[in-house]
Each structure stands twice: as structure tokens, then as C-alpha cells.
Amino acid sequence: MLKAMYTHLQSRDSDRPPVTLTTLAQMKHQGEKIACLTAYDASFAALLDAAGVDVVLVGDSLGMVIQGHDTTVPVTMDHMVYHCAAVSRGLSRPFLMADLPFMSYSSPELALANAVRLMQEGGASMLKLESGPGQTDTVAYLARHDIAVCAHLGLKPQSVHKTGGFRVQGREDAAAERMLRDARALEAAGADMVLLECVPAALGRSITEAIRVPVIGIGAGPGTDGQILVLYDILDLTPGRKPRFTRNFMDGSASPQAAIARYVQAVKSGEYPAPEHCF
Ligand code: KIV
């Protein structure tokens, strides 16, 4: 316990202090792009840390890229805790966010119990949940318990069986207005970050400008405060056709470490995403 405490104090004073919500708020304010990636194990987590990634997400995408399922639905809390603890052991600077998996937040009380597991056993600093008007009470409940929350809007992979597939969301005016309203309501309920997946670039920008908390995009255009991609996609490890918004950073890189560093640089400079990655 003492060792952990001293380690934390030392790293706070080092030239690579840990990223916190305050850091991310400052980055939004100053217009510095936030570079985020997923990770599922300690070795890749250490590579992401060394390459300057700001936020690492232990995504339930692990159901697809690690476990080989067609969707994220089979992922359980035990899977998430196992991978989150591994990632956490590989990190010192980045902010660590973890997904609450399918049906692990179907009531505010269940969400709190599972958030506590991911923080205490997994070492997460923030929980992400696929959100909408139905989750404002849960977000408010977590916020009342001082749990940092990211609200995931747009394409919600845990709902694909209901929504009919992996599709761009918010194309029609009414759907775009609803999403903007949801983002505002979730921020008012206490969300500390919003993640937008697969939405038109214009909507990504207008939501980012409408709320104070950082907005991270995946297939949401260049106007968000930061970008996230699935690590295995940028390293070209995933078989088959890739989503339009992703980019193979291994192409032209000598090593995974170099590819991850190029991704960070491309996000920070605004070179990624380019028009061909946008909807
Ligand atoms: O599960 C995941 O990796 C995610 C990202 C695609 C944002 O939610």
C-alpha cells in the first residue's frame, strides 16, 4: 500500500504526470487533440503508454478481437475485470477507461456495483456505458457516487440485435437532434465525457461544440476533441473488411510501437481522420 502511494506521488511530480479528467478538460479548452486507443493486455498497454496515448479504453470490443465473437454481447463482467487489471498493470501515464458490458448496468444499483468492481479489481478510473435517454438516471446515480462516467452515443454495438446492424447513426435531422439532446441531458446528469461512434462529421462537430465535457469520436469526423480506434485495426491484425473510419498505421511503420506513435502524431496534428474516414 505504501509503495503504491509513493509510486503515485513520484509519478505526479515527474515530467510525465498521470492524465486526469482535469488534464482532459484543459486539452479540450486549449484545442489539443486527445489521442485514445483500446488495449486488452499489459504488453500492448505499455506500448501505448510509451507512445504518448492519453486515454486507454479496455473496450468490450475484446469480445470480437480477442474472443472471436461476431458482437460484443457475450462479454461478461469477469472478462472485463480480467483484461482491465492486465491493462492497468502496463500503464503509468494514460487515463484508464473501461466498458461496462452488455446488461451490466440495467439498473443504477447494478451499474454502481459493477463500476466498483472495475475500479477496485480492474484499476479503471472511468466507466463507459452505451447511453441514451434510458441511462440518464444511471449516469446521475454513478455521478452522485463520484464515479467518472463516459456516455457512449451513436452506434451502440451492444444493441445491434435490436437496431439491425452496425450502421451510421444520426443521418436524418430528427435523429441528429435527438442525439444532441441526449448528449446535453447526459452531460447535465453528470457524464464527464461523451464518446460518439459512427455519426456524420457535421453532427460530431456540433455535439462537441454544444457541450463542455470532452467528446471523443470514432468515425465521427475531425471536429471532436479526440479520436479513438480499436488497436488491432490500426495494427492491421483484424481479418476481413475494416470499417471505413479506421486506418492501417502498420503500413509504412517498422514496428507496432512506431505505428502507435504515428497514430498519436496523426491525431494530434489533425492529419487523422481525413475526409475518406468520415461519414
Ligand atoms: O469497445 C470498444 O472498443 C469501443 C470503441 C469502439 C470505442 O467502445
Side-chain angles (χ1 to χ4, degrees), residues 204-217:
R205 186 177 297 279
S206 57
I207 292 178
T208 305
E209 287 170 357
I211 62 178
R212 288 183 320 276
V213 297
V215 176
I216 307 300

Side-chain angles (χ1 to χ4, degrees), residues 46-129:
L47 287 188
L48 267 53
D49 190 336
V53 171
D54 302 304
V55 177
V56 173
L57 168 68
V58 183
D60 61 356
S61 52
L62 70 86
M64 299 168 82
V65 300
I66 302 284
Q67 298 174 334
H69 294 295
D70 287 338
T71 74
T72 58
V73 171
V75 177
T76 66
M77 270 305 299
D78 284 348
H79 299 152
M80 288 304 305
V81 168
Y82 175 88
H83 286 279
C84 195
V87 168
S88 147
R89 288 190 283 268
L91 297 182
S92 77
R93 177 184 170 272
F95 192 64
L96 178 57
M97 166 159 74
D99 268 334
L100 281 167
F102 182 64
M103 285 302 140
S104 67
Y105 50 99
S106 53
S107 70
E109 293 76 15
L110 185 61
L112 180 62
N114 284 322
V116 169
R117 277 199 72 194
L118 276 163
M119 294 175 76
Q120 290 191 323
E121 298 172 49
S125 299
M126 170 179 262
L127 287 313
K128 173 163 83 62
L129 54 137

Side-chain angles (χ1 to χ4, degrees), residues 9 16 41 54 59 64 97 190 201 218 232 241 265-266 269 273:
L9 288 177
R16 297 182 78 244
D41 67 60
D54 302 304
M64 299 168 82
M97 166 159 74
I218 173 164
Y232 286 22
R241 220 183 87 216
Q265 200 275 330
S269 67

